[in-house]
Amino acid sequence: MILESCRGLLVALMLMLAAAANAADADVYKRLVSDDFADKREAIDALIAAPDAATATIVQALLDGSLHVSDDGRPLIAVDGGFRDARTGRPAEVAPPPDAVTINNRLRVSLQAALASLRLTSPDPALRRAAAQALQNAALDDDMVPAVERAIAAERDARTRQLLELALASARIGSPEPGERLQAVRLLAGSDQPQVRSLLARALQRNPDGSWIEPDESVREAARASLREIEARVARGEWIGHLFAGLSLGSVLMLAAIGLAITYGLLGVINMAHGEMIMIGAYAAYVTQGLFRSFAPEWFGWYPLAALPVAFVAAGAIGVLLERTVIRWLYGRPLETLLATWGASLVLIQSMRQIFGPQNVEIENPAWLSGGVAVANAVLPYNRIAIIVFALAVVAVVALVLVRTRLGLFVRGVTQNRPMAAAIGVPTARVDMLAFALGSGIAGLAGVALSQIGNVGPDLGQAYIIDSFIVVVLGGVGQIAGTVLAGFGLGIANKLLEPWSGAVIAKIVILVLVIAFIQKRPQGLFALKGRAVEA
């Protein structure tokens, strides 16, 4: 009997404590709907001071503007025209619907930092790292410092710990203790956030009366050293970014020009419709994307790979049609060939406008080509990395075709000495057709690559035809190795010049340099060897 009585008293006491806690919580939530933002701030501080499993959800709802409070003090989240209890996650019926809790910008900044500190205890390392990054980007309140210190002591991931230490250093740079300021300044050398550089630069400024804002000389010297380290690291990142952008542009130019190098080197035809073969490849990627979305949505992420053979065949077929119907009658007449292929390019552009419309079409990057990898403060996009690798793979395959296959042997023979090749039985007309198909198909592959990094429209090819000819002439007519070096060289030079001179001036400077080079070396980087040339 005594045990049962004690048990009953304990249960009653627990119920009373729970009721008191619920009443206190209800009072806190009711203060959130107050018109006085000071009351809201006190209520938010009370919530964060005693967090539970639902606190992060409630704070996020506050930031999203979806938190409501019922008349009896229940926190509710608006979902799909109704409400659910923020603490239990269950649907809640309230009438009439309460208004959403409003916050100002000052509360929003505090809530963002508070949400980040709440997530520091998450078992998900990625979520903790994101929270640490958010703390570094936001102002860290003094009342959050103990939570961050505990998180640093418990954190096992080195990068997350570094981010937390930088956030803590940003808060301690205003400490009254010179030792803490010195330690904070040294730690901040590992951050590249703009606000960190502003904090360090402020320590080196003077007050209106001429005195230093940072009175301690050792702290100022450490701030100078940290700024120099950050600026050097940022400069390295910018150089890496420029070089990667140059490689990316060079790979695009190389893909666009390698097919032209085959046809121009073999046939001597200035094919002004070559850019439209690139456009056809890009539209082939667009059509393939639509088919995958309609008939195989579960495999949608792999549509770029399926688009490659489609683009190669489509562009190659158009190239064969163009060679058989127009170009074959104009060999040896360069001006007429130029005008005829220019007219063919206009026909192809207008055809695409009639079929797909005059506006750019939307090409979606699959998940595995989205995002990027950070290297020394530079983000290298996955889609451009894939294009560089793909371009090099295309070069390797083309080299194998030209060196190891019968078609390649015929192409090299006709390129070096057409009359002699015809005299020994090489079917030069058929070789011309197949080489034109190969060059056009490679241009189609370039279109698929370009569809992943830029707009796809009827005028896509016009942006690359002139640059493609420059690459071919600079590299040496018919020389694959020269095309590769010229493409990458022009791309890198263009991106290195742009930061100092602008895009237009950079192109003009490069064009002048190419003209000067061709004047000194008309055969390009690699001279074509053969009896016809040496005669």
Side-chain angles (χ1 to χ4, degrees), residues 249 252-254 256-257 260 272-279 345 349 353 360 446 450 453-471 494 507:
L249 175 61
V252 170
L253 292 178
M254 183 183 66
L260 189 62
M272 296 301 295
H274 185 77
E276 279 52 64
M277 304 303 164
I278 300 174
M279 174 197 66
S345 72
I349 291 173
R353 286 176 177 159
N360 293 335
L450 286 171
I453 60 173
N455 296 323
V456 175
D459 298 322
L460 171 65
Q462 297 295 305
Y464 293 95
I465 183 62
I466 301 301
D467 288 339
S468 298
F469 273 110
I470 292 176
V471 170
N494 190 72
K507 282 189 174 293

Side-chain angles (χ1 to χ4, degrees), residues 126-168:
L127 191 59
R128 295 200 307 273
R129 181 174 296 186
Q133 185 68 59
L135 280 177
Q136 189 184 359
N137 295 337
L140 191 63
D141 293 341
D142 291 340
D143 54 354
M144 294 180 187
V145 169
V148 174
E149 290 176 337
R150 290 193 298 270
I152 292 174
E155 184 58 58
R156 296 182 179 180
D157 181 72
R159 177 56 181 163
T160 304
R161 189 186 306 111
Q162 182 187 24
L163 291 173
L164 290 173
E165 289 173 348
L166 291 174
L168 189 59

Side-chain angles (χ1 to χ4, degrees), residues 392-439:
L392 295 175
V394 170
V395 170
V397 172
V398 171
L400 286 175
V401 169
L402 293 180
V403 174
R404 298 294 184 181
T405 66
R406 186 177 180 85
L407 173 61
L409 177 63
F410 286 170
V411 167
R412 288 183 285 122
V414 173
T415 302
Q416 294 179 9
N417 195 321
R418 177 180 290 270
M420 182 60 70
I424 62 175
V426 175
T428 56
R430 184 182 178 189
V431 170
D432 292 342
M433 180 187 69
L434 293 176
F436 211 91
L438 177 62

